[in-house]
Amino acid sequence: MTDPRSQAPRQKLPRFALDGVLLLDKPLGLSSNDALIKAKRLLQALKAGHTGTLDPLATGLLPLCFGEATKFSQDLLEADKTYEARVRLGETTTTGDAEGEVLVTRPVTVDEAAIRAVLPRFTGAISQVPPMYSALKRDGKPLYEYARAGQTLEREAREITIHLLEMTACSLPDVAEFTFRVTCSKGTYVRTLAEDIGEALGCGAHLRALRRTAVGPLTLEGAVTLEDLGAIDHAQRVEKLAPVDALLKTLPTVWLDDTLAKRFSHGQRLRLDETRCPLPLRACAAAHEDIEVKVYAEAVGDVAARLLGVARLDEAALLTPQRLLKTQ
């Protein structure tokens, strides 16, 4: 019988310095961090990070940043998000979603018209009290730890913005559920929104299912599942990475020639002429005091154009580097 201690150690897979963005369609029941670990292992990547957590009971878009793309992940943390949410009326739970125990059951006497009528109250700038079952910290400890210990702490209401809130389906009167689509600002808790809508309807509610469909300019179009990644070889997995500038779609572009590109890449501020900073771009910078722009080096011969980083541009056409990519 072979002694297991005499067997050769398991060979470690090589790790690669990959740069780009993976649009992952996160499955139900998996934490964002676990999803990141699995994707990082499949891609054999050296460096990766996610762009804000998605609850285990939620599915949908989880952009994962690899290598140089991690420098821009904060932008997605601040970005608006879009969700599809299914709500159960007539029941409140300890957690505000399907994971918790039912607290109160009330009769549901509202109809589809009543739900549509109440939704406008929750659009625009509104106040929302964060739930106890959240990762917000008090004295260095997340609120959900207090909640699990049976403690309820006072929480201050926070200002959020609901840009879009619309019903997409309604199962009443057969089933006391409806579905809505919401586009909201950073810091919005959709299960709290579902609870607040239920209270406004007089019957209470909790979140049954949640799917994120967009983060800033990124959508589920082209997103892959962990199962998709596991079914293809490593080269094909790497091809699933979108370029770093997929995170910067909404920013205006500044182009630099080879000389200016080298100076910019060394962190130097540049005064741009009218060719590099045309009047409309300068006017935009003036209107907002300064603006963020993405900066590219122009193609030279066989060398393709490439992203250098992002910068601030003021009305005097002064370009100040902010976050730079490593030079090749």
Side-chain angles (χ1 to χ4, degrees), residues 18 115 135 195 234 255 323:
L18 302 176
I115 298 171
E195 289 181 304
H234 183 260
W255 292 92
R323 287 167 287 173

Side-chain angles (χ1 to χ4, degrees), residues 85 105 211 219:
T105 300
R211 182 164 176 77
T219 69

Side-chain angles (χ1 to χ4, degrees), residues 184-205:
C184 50
S185 65
K186 170 195 173 185
T188 301
Y189 288 91
V190 180
R191 53 198 157 97
T192 299
L193 179 62
E195 289 181 304
D196 291 345
I197 292 172
E199 289 305 310
L201 291 168
C203 58

